[in-house]
Amino acid sequence: MALLLTGAIQLGMIYALMAMGVYVTFRILNVADLTVEGSFTLGVAVSAVVAAKGHPILALVAAILTGAVAGLVTGILHTKVKIQTILAGILTMTALYTINLAIMGGRANISLFASETVLSLIEKVTKLSVGTVRSIVTIGVTLLVFAFLSAFFKTKFGLKIRATGDNEEMVRASSINASVTKCAGLMLGNACVALSGAMLSQYQKSADVNIGAGMVVVGLASVIIGEAIIGKRSVILGIFSVIVGSVAYQIIIAIALKVNLLPAYGLKLISALIVAISLALPVARAEIKKVRRSKNV
Amino acid sequence: MSDTILKLCNVTKVFHPNTVNENKAIDNLSFELKKGDFVTVLGSNGSGKSTMFNLIAGSLLADSGQIYLEGENITLVSDYIRAKKIGRIFQDPMKGTSPSLTIEENLSLAYARKSKSKIFAINKADREAFVELLSKLDLGLENRLKTKIGLLSGGQRQAVTLLMSTIADPSLLLLDEHTAALDPNTAVKILDITKELVEYSKTSTMMITHDINAALSIGNRTIMMDAGRIILDISGEERENMTVDALLKLYSKESKKQLANDRMLFSAGGLGEDE
């Protein structure tokens, strides 16, 4: 059970990177960005290919940069070509499927078992056990990104991005170029998502071209669960809640699989149910309140 | 001519041209605003007041004619670039501020060019400046810097919006019926704050209003619009001697309309109405 929990926390930390990216676009920028499904796999693919060449650290940097480019493409499709954000994201995601396959040399799977990863590098340097290194690295990278995002959204530019998601008309009237802030937000979000994919591929020592499917729902589930636990009083608390939500989500899934509540292929259904139920909760609460009041009258 | 802030030369804007709905919203309009002027703009619904503001701010582009701001031709400049020099406040108090940002974060968006802080949005000196500015509003907001704007009332939000517009030091401030959505007492309070802030910052200002009393008592010049043209332009002694009644008579004579048909009259006593 302890092993199960440790694994769930490590995975939760890796997916938290993706969920923080979803938080940036979904909550801060206020757009439903489906690029995530493609940019996550992009991170997986880029990281696997570059790590297989023997550069696991460069692989993470490359994943961040390519993820940002994917976000930029969606941003340009939305702000310059005036395509709705959902459709713009779907277009980029669809295009990325081909691009991801091309990056992986036309193969649907890549194995990294013979290659060096960030984790194995640190194992060698620190001489710590495999499990300890995995925990330290996954938690460390996620906290690093959390610290960066928290500071970033307090900067002048970060504030402009937040205002864009809040009141775009006011942002334009304040002589801020909303196209730039939107693109920047999408780039930042998808860079986080791609880094998450990159970490996962080195953690699992494999890459699969279909791994990104359903990733938006996992991200949303983490955002919603986190907000239910921690709340969303400030941006920093909001971003932090996503990490908690992601870990909680992975623990729920791990336990559900462990007690054979469902077969492994039932995962996506459960994810969708968690999101749908969490979104239904406030509506249900209001309805129940109304029914109770009508009885008292 | 160097003291001219804004100049409109033969500006025309037609909506739905060449259809049955063709509407000449602005008809060959020429207008000049001197530095430091505070002009109040009157006119019935559909007379072209808001369209004129939209053309000046760049939300709409003129079909013909030229618009100059401080001598620079801005006829085809994008709205967000003009916004560096033109501040604008709308009737809807929700439009001017960002609800999930705090009061200090909203102010810092407007303060960005003056702030000494290089990277982070707000530093200690900024905060002190905000407290001083907010205390001028006399609404107790100076103690609530970290409150989210969305939690404030419409009047409080409009007051903060006014403050944001003036601290950005615009060359021109456009007030588009900015008190019309507020209750009468709050509207008076916001008008007082407007007067005070404009006097303090010496910003050249244009204010659309349906309140003829306010139009005559605030500022130093009053224009009246009808059918996309300026039909009355008074300042100085002529304006000081003008009464609400005389203005209404003049209005009916100049626009050759029946007084009773004009909805503007019903709001002449105080409250504005929606455009």
Side-chain angles (χ1 to χ4, degrees), chain B residues 5-256:
Chain B
I5 282 284
L6 176 74
K7 197 170 155 193
L8 275 67
C9 301
N10 309 102
V11 173
T12 297
K13 177 75 191 174
V14 183
F15 293 118
H16 317 291
N18 307 321
T19 69
V20 281
N21 295 320
E22 181 170 301
N23 172 18
K24 222 172 205 185
I26 294 292
D27 186 4
N28 202 22
L29 183 90
S30 294
F31 174 77
E32 221 173 275
L33 186 74
K34 289 210 160 41
K35 200 171 184 159
D37 265 0
F38 189 162
V39 179
T40 52
V41 184
L42 288 167
S44 55
N45 295 329
S47 62
K49 309 181 300 291
S50 289
T51 307
M52 178 171 76
F53 272 25
N54 282 333
L55 291 170
I56 296 170
S59 315
L60 292 173
L61 293 182
D63 294 337
S64 63
Q66 309 293 328
I67 302 171
Y68 298 89
L69 186 73
E70 294 180 310
E72 186 194 341
N73 190 335
I74 57 161
T75 316
L76 297 174
V77 175
S78 304
D79 54 353
Y80 73 90
I81 293 173
R82 290 192 209 188
K84 278 185 188 138
K85 290 184 169 177
I86 301 178
R88 190 173 185 191
I89 302 182
F90 298 92
Q91 187 176 322
D92 182 355
M94 306 304 151
K95 274 189 179 175
T97 45
S98 184
S100 66
L101 266 55
T102 63
I103 294 181
E104 62 174 13
E105 284 170 340
N106 268 284
L107 287 171
S108 78
L109 282 174
Y111 202 63
R113 268 179 297 156
K114 279 193 196 167
S115 172
K116 296 264 188 318
S117 176
K118 289 255 154 44
I119 300 168
F120 286 98
I122 306 159
N123 65 13
K124 204 164 157 256
D126 292 352
R127 219 165 255 138
E128 281 162 12
F130 295 162
V131 167
E132 199 191 318
L133 286 162
L134 283 166
S135 60
K136 271 199 292 193
L137 299 180
D138 200 20
L139 295 171
L141 295 178
E142 60 272 20
N143 306 316
R144 299 174 66 188
L145 281 180
K146 300 218 185 281
T147 303
K148 284 185 181 174
I149 286 268
L151 300 174
L152 303 185
S153 71
Q156 288 171 326
R157 281 183 76 164
Q158 204 66 321
V160 174
T161 310
L162 262 171
L163 202 57
M164 285 169 65
S165 303
T166 48
I167 59 176
D169 264 341
S171 306
L172 176 66
L173 182 60
L174 302 176
L175 307 174
D176 195 344
E177 286 187 66
H178 67 304
T179 61
L182 307 173
D183 70 70
N185 287 331
T186 313
V188 169
K189 173 97 192 160
I190 295 296
L191 269 185
D192 285 343
I193 292 173
T194 307
K195 250 192 278 187
E196 208 171 299
L197 286 177
V198 170
E199 260 164 45
Y200 176 81
S201 62
K202 296 184 181 62
T203 311
S204 312
T205 303
M206 295 177 78
M207 178 174 87
I208 294 179
T209 179
H210 283 300
D211 179 346
I212 298 183
N213 275 314
L216 287 176
S217 62
I218 298 174
N220 60 351
R221 183 177 165 195
T222 299
I223 62 173
M224 189 179 261
M225 292 187 68
D226 185 67
R229 287 168 296 123
I230 293 172
I231 55 166
L232 179 77
D233 187 345
I234 51 173
S235 58
E237 211 172 309
E238 191 186 1
R239 183 169 179 268
E240 270 164 42
N241 297 327
M242 183 63 72
T243 61
V244 173
D245 282 343
L247 193 65
L248 285 175
K249 274 185 197 138
L250 206 62
Y251 174 68
S252 68
K253 199 175 83 190
E254 296 238 6
S255 71
K256 297 186 190 86

Side-chain angles (χ1 to χ4, degrees), chain A:
Chain A
M1 194 66 192
L3 198 68
L4 181 88
L5 216 59
T6 326
I9 292 172
Q10 290 166 355
L11 269 182
M13 284 292 166
I14 292 174
Y15 282 115
L17 295 165
M18 181 270 299
M20 283 191 278
V22 170
Y23 185 87
V24 170
T25 50
F26 184 67
R27 277 283 186 252
I28 295 180
L29 211 55
N30 203 13
V31 297
D33 177 30
L34 296 182
T35 318
V36 169
E37 310 239 324
S39 57
F40 187 83
T41 316
L42 180 66
V44 169
V46 168
S47 169
V49 169
V50 179
K53 290 257 190 295
H55 307 288
I57 295 172
L58 184 69
L60 299 185
V61 178
I64 292 173
L65 293 178
T66 49
V69 172
L72 181 63
V73 170
T74 302
I76 288 172
L77 285 176
H78 171 54
T79 58
K80 292 295 164 208
V81 194
K82 311 280 181 202
I83 300 173
Q84 293 169 5
T85 42
I86 290 192
L87 186 54
I90 291 174
L91 287 175
T92 313
M93 173 188 92
T94 308
L96 276 173
Y97 191 83
T98 305
I99 293 170
N100 291 335
L101 270 174
I103 290 171
M104 289 163 70
R107 291 164 296 169
N109 296 287
I110 293 180
S111 169
L112 284 180
F113 273 97
S115 319
E116 204 78 81
T117 65
V118 171
L119 296 158
S120 65
L121 268 184
I122 292 174
E123 267 168 52
K124 266 189 206 159
V125 176
T126 59
K127 307 265 189 303
L128 290 167
S129 73
V130 181
T132 317
V133 168
R134 288 186 152 218
S135 293
I136 290 174
V137 172
T138 51
I139 294 172
V141 170
T142 299
L143 289 184
L144 212 66
V145 172
F146 165 67
F148 170 76
L149 289 178
S150 302
F152 176 76
F153 283 110
K154 290 281 170 191
T155 63
K156 289 186 175 190
F157 191 60
L159 207 59
K160 288 179 186 174
I161 293 179
R162 285 167 59 199
T164 306
D166 219 18
N167 188 346
E168 194 182 333
E169 204 169 349
M170 168 248 189
V171 160
R172 292 189 71 83
S174 313
S175 75
I176 296 165
N177 188 339
S179 304
V180 171
T181 50
K182 270 189 181 172
C183 286
L186 286 166
M187 287 171 75
L188 183 64
N190 283 293
C192 291
V193 172
L195 175 62
S196 177
M199 287 290 292
L200 187 72
S201 75
Q202 296 199 22
Y203 178 87
Q204 295 186 334
K205 290 199 153 221
S206 69
D208 184 322
V209 79
N210 290 315
I211 200 164
M215 217 33 89
V216 170
V217 174
V218 176
L220 287 179
S222 307
V223 170
I224 291 163
I225 294 171
E227 282 178 349
I229 298 173
I230 306 252
K232 44 180 173 181
R233 267 159 295 164
S234 69
V235 199
I236 294 180
L237 219 53
I239 301 172
F240 184 73
S241 76
V242 170
I243 301 175
V244 177
S246 172
V247 172
Y249 176 85
Q250 289 302 328
I251 291 175
I252 295 170
I253 296 289
I255 292 172
L257 288 175
K258 180 76 184 170
V259 297
N260 284 326
L261 199 69
L262 69 157
Y265 59 77
L267 220 72
K268 297 240 154 74
L269 178 65
I270 296 295
S271 316
L273 276 177
I274 289 177
V275 173
I277 291 170
S278 337
L279 289 175
L281 271 181
V283 184
R285 252 188 234 134
E287 280 300 317
I288 291 168
K289 220 174 162 185
K290 225 161 93 187
V291 171
R292 276 200 195 137
R293 271 209 62 182
S294 66
K295 277 180 187 159
N296 290 339
V297 169

